[in-house]
Coordinates of all heavy atoms in Angstrom, one line a residue:
L1 N 51.0 2.3 48.5 CA 52.1 1.5 49.0 C 52.0 1.0 50.4 O 52.3 -0.2 50.6 CB 53.4 2.5 48.9 CG 54.7 1.9 49.4 CD1 55.0 0.6 48.5 CD2 55.9 2.9 49.4
D2 N 51.4 1.8 51.3 CA 51.1 1.4 52.7 C 50.1 0.1 52.7 O 50.3 -0.8 53.4 CB 50.6 2.5 53.5 CG 51.6 3.5 53.8 OD1 52.8 3.2 53.7 OD2 51.3 4.6 54.2
I3 N 49.1 0.2 51.8 CA 48.2 -0.9 51.8 C 48.8 -2.2 51.3 O 48.7 -3.2 51.9 CB 47.0 -0.5 50.8 CG1 46.2 0.5 51.5 CG2 46.2 -1.7 50.5 CD1 45.1 1.1 50.5
A4 N 49.6 -2.1 50.2 CA 50.3 -3.2 49.7 C 51.3 -3.9 50.7 O 51.3 -5.0 50.8 CB 51.0 -2.8 48.4
K5 N 52.0 -3.0 51.4 CA 52.9 -3.5 52.3 C 52.2 -4.2 53.5 O 52.6 -5.3 53.9 CB 53.7 -2.3 52.9 CG 54.9 -1.9 52.1 CD 55.7 -0.7 52.8 CE 56.8 -0.2 51.9 NZ 57.6 0.8 52.6
A6 N 51.1 -3.7 53.9 CA 50.3 -4.3 55.0 C 49.7 -5.6 54.6 O 49.6 -6.6 55.4 CB 49.2 -3.3 55.4
A7 N 49.4 -5.7 53.3 CA 49.0 -7.1 52.7 C 50.1 -8.0 52.4 O 49.8 -9.1 52.1 CB 48.2 -6.8 51.4
G8 N 51.3 -7.6 52.5 CA 52.5 -8.4 52.2 C 52.7 -8.6 50.7 O 53.1 -9.7 50.2
L9 N 52.3 -7.6 50.0 CA 52.3 -7.7 48.5 C 53.0 -6.5 47.9 O 53.2 -5.5 48.6 CB 50.9 -7.8 47.9 CG 50.1 -9.0 48.4 CD1 48.6 -8.8 47.9 CD2 50.7 -10.3 47.8
G10 N 53.4 -6.6 46.6 CA 54.0 -5.4 45.9 C 52.8 -4.5 45.5 O 51.7 -4.9 45.2
V11 N 53.2 -3.2 45.4 CA 52.1 -2.3 44.9 C 51.6 -2.6 43.4 O 50.5 -2.2 43.2 CB 52.7 -0.8 45.0 CG1 53.7 -0.5 44.0 CG2 51.5 0.2 44.9
G12 N 52.4 -3.2 42.8 CA 52.0 -3.6 41.4 C 50.8 -4.6 41.4 O 49.9 -4.6 40.5
T13 N 50.9 -5.5 42.4 CA 49.7 -6.4 42.5 C 48.4 -5.7 42.8 O 47.4 -6.1 42.3 CB 50.0 -7.4 43.7 OG1 51.2 -8.1 43.4 CG2 48.8 -8.4 43.8
L14 N 48.5 -4.6 43.6 CA 47.3 -3.8 44.0 C 46.7 -3.2 42.6 O 45.6 -3.3 42.3 CB 47.7 -2.7 44.9 CG 46.5 -1.8 45.3 CD1 46.8 -1.2 46.7 CD2 46.3 -0.6 44.4
Y15 N 47.6 -2.7 41.8 CA 47.1 -2.1 40.5 C 46.6 -3.1 39.6 O 45.7 -2.8 38.8 CB 48.2 -1.1 40.0 CG 48.5 0.1 40.7 CD1 49.7 0.3 41.3 CD2 47.6 0.9 41.0 CE1 50.0 1.4 42.1 CE2 47.8 2.1 41.7 CZ 49.0 2.3 42.3 OH 49.3 3.5 43.0
R16 N 47.2 -4.3 39.6 CA 46.8 -5.3 38.6 C 45.4 -5.9 39.0 O 44.6 -6.2 38.1 CB 47.8 -6.5 38.6 CG 49.0 -6.2 37.8 CD 49.8 -7.5 37.5 NE 50.2 -8.2 38.7 CZ 51.4 -7.8 39.3 NH1 52.2 -6.9 38.8 NH2 51.8 -8.5 40.4
R17 N 45.2 -6.0 40.4 CA 43.9 -6.5 40.8 C 42.7 -5.5 40.8 O 41.6 -5.8 40.6 CB 44.0 -6.9 42.3 CG 45.0 -8.2 42.5 CD 44.4 -9.5 42.1 NE 44.1 -9.7 40.7 CZ 45.0 -10.1 39.8 NH1 46.2 -10.3 40.2 NH2 44.6 -10.3 38.6
F18 N 43.1 -4.1 41.1 CA 42.0 -3.2 41.2 C 42.1 -2.0 40.2 O 41.2 -1.2 40.0 CB 42.0 -2.6 42.6 CG 41.5 -3.7 43.5 CD1 42.3 -4.5 44.3 CD2 40.1 -3.8 43.8 CE1 41.9 -5.4 45.1 CE2 39.6 -4.8 44.7 CZ 40.6 -5.5 45.4
G19 N 43.3 -1.9 39.5 CA 43.4 -0.8 38.6 C 43.9 0.5 39.2 O 45.0 1.0 38.8
T20 N 43.2 0.9 40.2 CA 43.7 2.2 41.0 C 43.4 2.0 42.5 O 42.7 1.1 42.9 CB 42.9 3.4 40.5 OG1 41.4 3.2 40.9 CG2 42.9 3.6 39.1
K21 N 44.1 2.8 43.2 CA 43.8 2.8 44.7 C 42.4 3.1 45.0 O 41.8 2.6 45.9 CB 44.8 3.7 45.4 CG 44.6 3.7 47.0 CD 45.3 4.9 47.6 CE 44.6 6.2 47.5 NZ 45.1 7.3 48.2
E22 N 41.9 4.1 44.3 CA 40.6 4.5 44.5 C 39.5 3.5 44.3 O 38.4 3.4 45.0 CB 40.2 5.8 43.6 CG 40.9 7.1 43.9 CD 42.4 7.0 43.7 OE1 42.9 6.3 42.8 OE2 43.2 7.7 44.4
A23 N 39.7 2.6 43.3 CA 38.8 1.4 43.0 C 38.9 0.5 44.3 O 37.8 0.0 44.6 CB 39.2 0.8 41.7
L24 N 40.0 0.2 44.8 CA 40.1 -0.6 45.9 C 39.4 0.0 47.2 O 38.7 -0.7 47.8 CB 41.6 -0.8 46.3 CG 41.9 -1.6 47.6 CD1 41.2 -2.9 47.7 CD2 43.4 -1.8 47.7
L25 N 39.6 1.3 47.4 CA 38.8 2.0 48.4 C 37.4 1.9 48.3 O 36.6 1.7 49.2 CB 39.3 3.5 48.5 CG 40.8 3.7 49.0 CD1 41.1 5.2 49.0 CD2 41.0 3.1 50.4
D26 N 36.9 2.1 47.0 CA 35.5 2.0 46.7 C 35.0 0.7 47.1 O 33.8 0.6 47.7 CB 35.2 2.4 45.3 CG 35.4 3.8 44.9 OD1 35.4 4.7 45.9 OD2 35.4 4.1 43.8
A27 N 35.6 -0.4 46.7 CA 35.3 -1.7 47.0 C 35.1 -2.0 48.4 O 34.2 -2.6 48.9 CB 36.2 -2.8 46.4
V28 N 36.1 -1.6 49.2 CA 36.0 -1.7 50.6 C 34.9 -0.9 51.3 O 34.2 -1.5 52.2 CB 37.4 -1.4 51.3 CG1 37.3 -1.3 52.8 CG2 38.5 -2.4 50.8
V29 N 34.8 0.3 50.9 CA 33.7 1.2 51.5 C 32.3 0.6 51.2 O 31.5 0.5 52.0 CB 33.8 2.7 51.0 CG1 32.6 3.4 51.4 CG2 35.0 3.3 51.6
L30 N 32.1 0.1 50.0 CA 30.8 -0.5 49.6 C 30.6 -1.8 50.4 O 29.4 -2.0 50.8 CB 30.9 -0.8 48.1 CG 30.8 0.4 47.2 CD1 30.9 -0.2 45.7 CD2 29.5 1.2 47.3
S31 N 31.7 -2.5 50.8 CA 31.4 -3.7 51.6 C 31.0 -3.3 53.0 O 30.1 -4.0 53.6 CB 32.7 -4.5 51.6 OG 33.7 -4.0 52.4
L32 N 31.5 -2.1 53.5 CA 31.1 -1.7 54.9 C 29.6 -1.2 54.8 O 28.9 -1.5 55.7 CB 32.0 -0.5 55.3 CG 33.5 -0.9 55.6 CD1 34.2 0.4 55.7 CD2 33.6 -1.8 56.7
Y33 N 29.2 -0.5 53.8 CA 27.8 -0.2 53.6 C 27.0 -1.4 53.4 O 25.9 -1.4 54.0 CB 27.6 0.7 52.3 CG 27.8 2.2 52.7 CD1 29.0 2.7 53.0 CD2 26.7 3.0 52.5 CE1 29.1 4.1 53.3 CE2 26.8 4.4 52.7 CZ 28.0 5.0 53.1 OH 28.2 6.2 53.3
D34 N 27.5 -2.4 52.8 CA 26.6 -3.6 52.6 C 26.4 -4.3 53.9 O 25.3 -4.9 54.2 CB 27.3 -4.7 51.6 CG 27.2 -4.2 50.2 OD1 26.3 -3.4 49.9 OD2 27.9 -4.6 49.4
E35 N 27.5 -4.3 54.8 CA 27.2 -4.9 56.1 C 26.2 -4.2 57.0 O 25.4 -4.8 57.7 CB 28.6 -4.9 56.9 CG 29.5 -5.9 56.3 CD 30.9 -5.8 56.8 OE1 31.1 -5.0 57.8 OE2 31.9 -6.3 56.3
L36 N 26.2 -2.8 56.8 CA 25.2 -2.0 57.5 C 23.8 -2.3 57.0 O 22.8 -2.3 57.7 CB 25.6 -0.5 57.4 CG 26.7 0.0 58.2 CD1 27.0 1.5 57.8 CD2 26.3 -0.1 59.7
C37 N 23.7 -2.4 55.6 CA 22.4 -2.8 55.1 C 21.9 -4.1 55.6 O 20.6 -4.3 55.9 CB 22.5 -2.9 53.5 SG 22.6 -1.2 52.8
D38 N 22.7 -5.1 55.7 CA 22.3 -6.4 56.3 C 21.9 -6.2 57.7 O 20.9 -6.9 58.1 CB 23.5 -7.4 56.2 CG 23.9 -7.9 54.8 OD1 23.0 -7.6 54.0 OD2 25.0 -8.3 54.6
T39 N 22.7 -5.5 58.5 CA 22.2 -5.2 60.0 C 20.9 -4.5 60.0 O 20.1 -4.8 60.7 CB 23.3 -4.3 60.5 OG1 24.5 -4.9 60.5 CG2 22.9 -4.0 62.0
A40 N 20.7 -3.5 59.1 CA 19.4 -2.8 59.0 C 18.2 -3.8 58.8 O 17.1 -3.7 59.3 CB 19.4 -1.7 58.0

């Protein structure tokens, strides 16, 4: 709910786009790792 509010969207949109909050968190964490891989 806090993520959806910060994005200016309803929480239903989050679940439609990613299925679960955990899937969204995974996508973001992986992108942070990818940036570190590029830096390395």
Side-chain angles (χ1 to χ4, degrees):
L1 181 59
D2 286 342
I3 292 172
K5 284 183 177 180
L9 299 168
V11 72
T13 302
L14 184 154
Y15 291 120
R16 284 194 298 274
R17 296 278 68 81
F18 290 92
T20 65
K21 182 194 76 170
E22 289 70 27
L24 173 55
L25 291 176
D26 285 347
V28 170
V29 168
L30 290 176
S31 73
L32 293 172
Y33 269 67
D34 286 342
E35 290 172 8
L36 287 172
C37 286
D38 290 341
T39 299

